Amino acid sequence: MPLPIPSTQQNPGAAFERLLAVLNDLRENCPWDQKQTMETLRHLTIEETYELADAILEGDQPEIKKELGDVMMHLVFYARIAAEKGDFDITDVLNGVCEKLIYRHPHIYADADVNDEQDVKRNWEKLKLKEGNKSVLGGVPASLPALVKAARIQEKARGVGFDWENKNQVWEKVEEELQEFKAEFNTVKEASIDMEKAEGEFGDLLFSLINYARFININPENALEKTNKKFIKRFQYLEQKAKEQGKQLQDMTLAEMDVFWEEAKRV
């Protein structure tokens, strides 16, 4: 016999209670949900997070709403699994994050003075160290993609005053790293290139470019992903045009492909 369906709610608290009720029903009655663990959900949560990130970049509000719901469902699911083991429950999770936010915003909930966003960030990092973090960089997840991790490392260092004074200094560093990278390939014989050193110089160049992006308020991850999407769109246009002419890309010359590529830029 089907379970009664929890009715749609019109306020945040009641809607959240509805999500808890639905998730509890699934955990107790659905064979798939019953078998899930934190470990089996982990990769699915990562996928959902990336789907949310994609929707945000696309500016697709209906999709953002849907993906936010998926991510929230996962968070509730983790709390339910923990509650079954007696570790913590969703109430502990919600109270915990509230306590942290209150503690780390003394300019709102206490008498600390701040002048701007940077003061808030500096206070945040100081408070995290007081909580027991051994390093300002300790809060950067090891599993973050390298580009995102580089940006977070730089932001964390800036939060305690370890930073360049102006963007011109950063750009000089970019040019310096570019020259050092190029120097690794200024050799007559390609076989004599020290690839390990060249890789290191390339990493330094990327790190400095990410730093410069931060100084001019460009999110490097968003910028690169938008370029990825632009390339995919143009390349797929090229594939479609080739197909319409009964051609295979591998059989076309670069000049022939470039004609369609230039068309794609204007579409």
Side-chain angles (χ1 to χ4, degrees):
M1 182 177 179
L3 294 176
I5 298 175
S7 58
T8 301
Q9 301 296 321
Q10 301 304 317
N11 68 76
F16 191 73
E17 288 287 348
R18 185 188 188 211
L19 172 60
L20 293 176
V22 170
L23 195 284
N24 288 338
D25 287 341
L26 298 181
R27 183 64 171 173
E28 293 170 6
N29 298 282
C30 173
W32 185 88
D33 290 272
Q34 288 173 340
K35 288 188 175 182
Q36 300 315 302
T37 65
M38 289 190 179
E39 289 74 20
T40 62
L41 287 174
R42 178 180 176 274
H43 75 281
L44 298 176
T45 307
I46 293 171
E47 181 180 330
E48 295 293 355
T49 304
Y50 275 106
E51 289 177 356
L52 172 61
D54 285 343
I56 291 172
L57 276 184
E58 294 293 333
D60 187 336
Q61 296 301 318
E63 192 67 14
I64 291 172
K65 181 181 73 171
K66 181 177 82 69
E67 298 301 342
L68 281 172
D70 290 342
V71 171
M72 193 168 296
M73 180 274 291
H74 276 245
L75 303 183
V76 169
F77 207 157
Y78 287 118
R80 165 65 196 245
I81 293 171
E84 292 170 357
K85 297 179 179 180
D87 295 331
F88 58 84
D89 60 20
I90 192 62
T91 302
D92 298 322
V93 172
L94 297 175
N95 281 328
V97 72
C98 287
E99 294 301 328
K100 180 173 71 174
L101 289 172
I102 291 168
Y103 174 72
R104 293 188 185 173
H105 288 78
H107 55 290
I108 302 296
Y109 297 104
D111 56 1
D113 293 324
V114 295
N115 295 316
D116 54 27
E117 175 193 3
Q118 294 308 315
D119 282 351
V120 173
K121 288 182 177 180
R122 280 189 285 271
N123 280 346
W124 183 279
E125 295 302 336
K126 289 177 183 177
L127 289 169
K128 288 181 70 174
L129 289 175
K130 286 183 179 180
E131 292 170 10
N133 285 14
K134 295 181 179 179
S135 168
V136 169
L137 304 182
V140 180
S143 58
L144 274 181
L147 191 148
V148 179
K149 185 189 292 186
R152 292 296 292 138
I153 287 171
Q154 293 168 5
E155 290 169 2
K156 293 280 189 179
R158 182 184 185 181
V160 292
F162 187 76
D163 202 5
W164 300 91
E165 293 180 354
N166 59 69
K167 66 179 182 181
N168 293 331
Q169 294 173 316
V170 185
W171 186 251
E172 288 175 3
K173 185 63 175 176
V174 171
E175 293 181 323
E176 175 189 326
E177 297 295 354
L178 177 59
Q179 292 305 314
E180 291 179 3
F181 176 62
K182 289 172 65 176
E184 291 303 311
F185 294 90
N186 286 339
T187 179
V188 177
K189 295 182 179 180
E190 186 173 328
S192 65
I193 296 173
D194 185 336
M195 294 306 297
E196 184 175 350
K197 187 175 180 182
E199 181 182 61
E201 296 295 351
F202 185 67
D204 291 345
L205 175 58
L206 284 178
F207 195 84
S208 62
L209 279 170
I210 292 168
N211 218 354
Y212 188 74
R214 178 174 58 84
F215 260 79
I216 58 176
N217 296 316
I218 289 177
N219 183 299
E221 171 70 15
N222 290 350
L224 182 57
E225 181 58 14
K226 287 176 181 178
T227 295
N228 289 340
K229 289 179 179 292
K230 180 170 60 178
F231 183 91
I232 290 170
K233 181 179 178 181
R234 291 175 180 175
F235 192 82
Q236 289 177 340
Y237 179 90
L238 168 61
E239 289 177 313
Q240 180 60 35
K241 286 298 181 179
K243 184 178 180 180
E244 289 174 3
Q245 294 192 5
K247 298 179 179 180
Q248 297 291 327
L249 290 184
Q250 56 266 34
D251 299 327
M252 297 173 64
T253 66
L254 283 175
E256 289 175 320
M257 287 190 282
D258 195 53
V259 171
F260 295 138
W261 187 264
E262 291 300 321
E263 286 183 14
K265 291 181 180 180
R266 298 190 293 269
V267 173

